[in-house]
Amino acid sequence: MTIRETAADAKQDPSYLKALTELLYQLADDDFITSFRGSEWLGLAPHIEEDVAYSSITQNTMGHAVLFYDLLEELGAGKADVLAHERPPKERRNGIYLEKKNGEGSYLEEPYYDWALTVVRNYLYETFKKTKLEAVATSSYQPLAMVAQKVLMEQTYHLAHWKMWLKQLQGSNDDARKRIQSRIKEAWNEFQDVLELGSESQSMEQFNLITGEQIVKERWLEDVTATLNNIPDAPLDKRYGSGRNGEHTADLEQALGILAEVYVSDKQAIW
Amino acid sequence: MKDNQRQTEILAVLKTVDDPELPSVSVFDLGMVHDVVVLQSRVFISMVPTFAGCPALEIIEANVQKAVDAVDWVKECQVEFSFKHNWSTDSITAVGRENLKKHGISPPPKNYHPGEEWTVDCPYCGSDYTSMDNVFGPTACRSILYCGSCKNPFEAMKPVIKQSIIQN
């Protein structure tokens, strides 16, 4: 395996750079949108301790997105702030399920957000994130391998948190069980593209940027099966298409509109 | 003065720069200083960030810069954060572990297994009759606990250590 130690090394080979860039956008955009949906819950979580916990996880997850955008910046993709705020939906690589609204209404008025969706989504995502980062922790691109190892050290707390919520609600009353189960069923129809690596999948494997898509999916399924009480019979699907190829729903536009509102109002501002 | 004497002097300065979120604990004792290189009147400091989402990094960088710039022979100082080395709570020095307690923050447990529950003794009375209130505290690096003995709420530094990755 050829190890590439710096951005300059990676830029030597255009096809390597292309596969690496694509992988980094997936990692960055997944954390970015997950963090945004998390931030919408601020002040609305079921109780005060959860508010502290969820906002801490959300802040840290945005920190992880920044690490991946910084790696893209080093590779000449553009400034991290611009990559995060200005790219239109068709350039975004996050899985579509992750952009789904928390519920009806907005966080300012009548937020009818659904905690069952939040618990199921965060559990499925954090389990996936761990699996994918483990597959990237031995990457041929050394700066990425280092960042993946760093993120894994912190992310273990996020996963443990959502796993606890999921187990508690699954073991709770009928209402809780039903709500969780219906959100799992929904996720099963939509989660497939999160698990995929998109059009550059083969190059990513060939260049040893990540161990294969199939392995990530199998390990994810193994973990999820061990935790969830009922796995839907239907196969996993990607109902709304593939976010890895730039396909997205109106929910992403809504998220980006709010997220970039302040940034767009004054791009020269210093933060 | 020789470069290695100067390096010792800079390290002494870094022991006086406290983490803004953890007053009384220096960035040196937190294990954030990776390397200090002195070339005559120029100083290069490489630092290791603690938590990725920590908003205090820029303040820390500025505080280190300011403290080193104040040394009379320093003409140029460069501070850089790098992810080339991974920080873990094992990097906290013995002095750092003691100083954390002064602000009601217990040092991280030493026998922690990632993903598992953990506990620490009370920083005030030393009792092990403590319970976890919230593993997520006021900053990314701290948790909130309660002491059943002296009835004080307290915080602890969250253990973060290298994980063994499943080899493929």
Side-chain angles (χ1 to χ4, degrees), chain A residues 48-50 52-54 56-57 59-60 63-64 67 130 134-135 137-138 146-147 149-150 152-154 156-158 160-161 211 215 219 271, chain B residues 49-53 55 83-88 112 114-115 118 133-137 139-140 144 158-163 165-168:
Chain A
I48 183 80
E49 294 295 339
E50 180 55 28
V52 173
Y54 197 5
S56 178
I57 292 173
Q59 183 189 45
N60 210 35
H64 296 164
L67 294 180
K130 175 176 185 278
E134 283 176 349
T138 48
M146 289 307 297
V147 165
Q149 287 164 33
K150 165 85 180 161
L152 277 170
M153 288 164 78
E154 302 174 0
T156 179
Y157 284 105
H158 304 180
H161 183 78
T211 48
I215 297 173
R219 283 190 186 152
W271 300 87
Chain B
T50 53
F51 270 76
F83 284 94
K84 279 180 200 140
H85 305 274
N86 276 332
W87 177 84
S88 84
Y112 163 72
W118 50 271
D133 251 20
N134 195 342
V135 77
F136 298 94
T139 68
I144 305 168
K158 206 186 272 177
V160 173
I161 59 166
K162 271 220 173 67
Q163 320 223 359
I165 307 284
I166 308 160
Q167 288 300 316
N168 300 293

Side-chain angles (χ1 to χ4, degrees), chain B residues 51-117:
Chain B
F51 270 76
C54 180
L57 291 183
E58 279 179 37
I59 302 169
I60 292 171
E61 189 176 332
N63 288 352
V64 167
Q65 182 89 42
K66 202 173 145 195
V68 175
D69 279 340
V71 176
D72 55 7
W73 54 262
V74 173
K75 291 220 170 67
E76 186 194 338
C77 170
Q78 282 180 24
V79 186
E80 182 195 71
F81 273 101
S82 161
F83 284 94
K84 279 180 200 140
H85 305 274
N86 276 332
W87 177 84
S88 84
T89 38
D90 294 338
S91 313
I92 302 172
T93 66
V95 175
R97 292 177 69 87
E98 274 312 302
N99 286 347
L100 276 169
K101 291 188 206 167
K102 290 182 188 165
H103 276 266
I105 299 171
S106 283
K110 284 185 164 167
N111 54 351
Y112 163 72
H113 299 282
E116 287 178 16
E117 287 182 21

Side-chain angles (χ1 to χ4, degrees), chain B residues 13-70:
Chain B
V13 170
L14 293 175
K15 286 176 190 174
T16 68
V17 180
D18 288 352
D19 183 307
E21 305 263 28
L22 301 164
S24 86
V25 189
S26 75
V27 292
F28 177 87
D29 286 319
L30 278 174
M32 295 178 77
V33 179
H34 172 64
D35 199 15
V36 174
V37 175
V38 177
L39 294 170
Q40 293 170 333
S41 58
R42 295 189 299 162
V43 181
F44 303 90
I45 300 170
S46 138
M47 299 192 61
V48 193
T50 53
F51 270 76
C54 180
L57 291 183
E58 279 179 37
I59 302 169
I60 292 171
E61 189 176 332
N63 288 352
V64 167
Q65 182 89 42
K66 202 173 145 195
V68 175
D69 279 340

Side-chain angles (χ1 to χ4, degrees), chain A residues 8-271:
Chain A
D9 291 345
K11 285 199 251 181
Q12 300 278 324
D13 179 350
S15 47
Y16 183 91
L17 181 65
K18 194 174 173 215
L20 171 60
T21 305
E22 204 61 31
L23 177 60
L24 286 172
Y25 274 126
Q26 293 176 12
L27 295 165
D29 290 346
D30 277 358
D31 271 348
F32 184 72
I33 195 69
T34 300
S35 180
F36 173 73
R37 287 296 177 213
S39 72
E40 285 188 307
W41 273 100
L42 185 62
L44 302 172
H47 53 80
I48 183 80
E49 294 295 339
E50 180 55 28
D51 227 23
V52 173
Y54 197 5
S55 51
S56 178
I57 292 173
T58 296
Q59 183 189 45
N60 210 35
T61 301
M62 190 56 88
H64 296 164
V66 171
L67 294 180
F68 296 120
Y69 285 128
D70 281 345
L71 289 176
L72 282 159
E73 184 174 327
E74 281 171 27
L75 291 165
K79 287 257 171 220
D81 266 349
V82 175
L83 297 178
H85 287 102
E86 293 190 32
R87 284 156 56 239
K90 65 177 175 12
E91 288 179 25
R92 303 273 170 168
R93 294 291 181 258
N94 61 274
I96 297 181
Y97 174 68
L98 306 176
E99 71 203 32
K100 181 194 285 291
K101 283 184 184 172
N102 287 314
E104 293 309 311
S106 83
Y107 65 95
L108 291 173
E109 287 171 70
E110 312 279 331
Y112 295 111
Y113 292 171
D114 185 42
W115 191 245
L117 166 63
T118 296
V119 168
V120 168
R121 173 157 62 188
N122 278 292
Y123 166 70
L124 294 179
Y125 176 66
E126 296 290 3
T127 305
F128 158 77
K129 179 171 168 176
K130 175 176 185 278
T131 315
K132 187 162 180 174
L133 288 176
E134 283 176 349
V136 163
T138 48
S139 178
S140 62
Y141 187 52
Q142 221 164 31
L144 172 58
M146 289 307 297
V147 165
Q149 287 164 33
K150 165 85 180 161
V151 173
L152 277 170
M153 288 164 78
E154 302 174 0
Q155 189 256 353
T156 179
Y157 284 105
H158 304 180
L159 175 56
H161 183 78
W162 294 113
K163 199 172 181 174
M164 176 191 71
W165 261 109
L166 189 100
K167 283 184 165 179
Q168 286 187 348
L169 290 181
Q170 269 192 160
S172 180
N173 61 24
D174 254 5
D175 185 31
R177 266 200 300 275
K178 277 183 191 151
R179 283 167 187 246
I180 290 289
Q181 200 51 39
S182 100
R183 286 300 182 178
I184 289 170
K185 203 175 154 199
E186 171 193 64
W188 231 249
N189 276 320
E190 301 178 25
F191 202 79
Q192 175 68 23
D193 71 320
V194 178
L195 296 163
E196 292 174 354
L197 294 172
S199 55
E200 287 292 310
S201 145
Q202 284 195 332
S203 300
M204 288 179 196
E205 268 184 68
Q206 274 162 14
F207 288 122
N208 291 305
L209 286 163
I210 182 169
T211 48
E213 189 173 289
Q214 202 52 35
I215 297 173
V216 172
K217 188 180 164 183
E218 278 165 20
R219 283 190 186 152
W220 176 81
L221 204 54
E222 205 176 296
D223 281 2
V224 166
T225 310
T227 307
L228 298 181
N229 283 349
N230 292 301
I231 298 282
D233 294 329
L236 281 158
D237 201 359
K238 41 180 175 180
R239 191 175 165 190
Y240 299 108
S242 174
R244 302 304 186 207
N245 297 333
E247 292 164 10
H248 293 287
T249 63
D251 286 12
L252 181 61
E253 280 169 47
Q254 176 263 351
L256 295 176
I258 294 172
L259 193 135
E261 192 180 355
V262 177
Y263 172 84
V264 170
S265 73
D266 183 0
K267 290 189 183 176
Q268 308 306 319
I270 293 165
W271 300 87

